[in-house]
Amino acid sequence: MLVFRWLVLLLLVGAAVTLAVYVGTRDRRWLRLTLLIAKWTVIAGLGFFGVLLLERLVMVV
């Protein structure tokens, strides 16, 4: 669980930093990298909530 939390946090920070670099430089490759990191952040977040859901289901059964 702690690994998922850190992973999502680091991905969010990475997306924010690359977005700030894009705003500063207006270089499109930073925007593309921001969107890629944001996509993987959403995937990691869904994985995190999936693990939480599975833990709850196992506790109920």
Side-chain angles (χ1 to χ4, degrees):
M1 291 299 291
L2 187 60
V3 172
F4 275 117
R5 288 180 185 176
W6 278 105
L7 180 66
V8 170
L9 178 67
L10 290 174
L11 284 169
L12 282 172
V13 169
V17 168
T18 55
L19 183 62
V21 172
Y22 167 70
V23 168
T25 63
R26 295 292 183 199
D27 188 356
R28 299 281 297 174
R29 72 180 150 162
W30 290 107
L31 180 61
R32 193 175 32 214
L33 184 59
T34 299
L35 294 175
L36 180 69
I37 293 173
K39 177 182 77 169
W40 283 106
T41 302
V42 170
I43 291 170
L46 289 173
F48 172 74
F49 286 113
V51 169
L52 282 178
L53 181 66
L54 285 175
E55 281 184 353
R56 297 284 173 132
L57 288 175
V58 168
M59 292 174 102
V60 170
V61 172

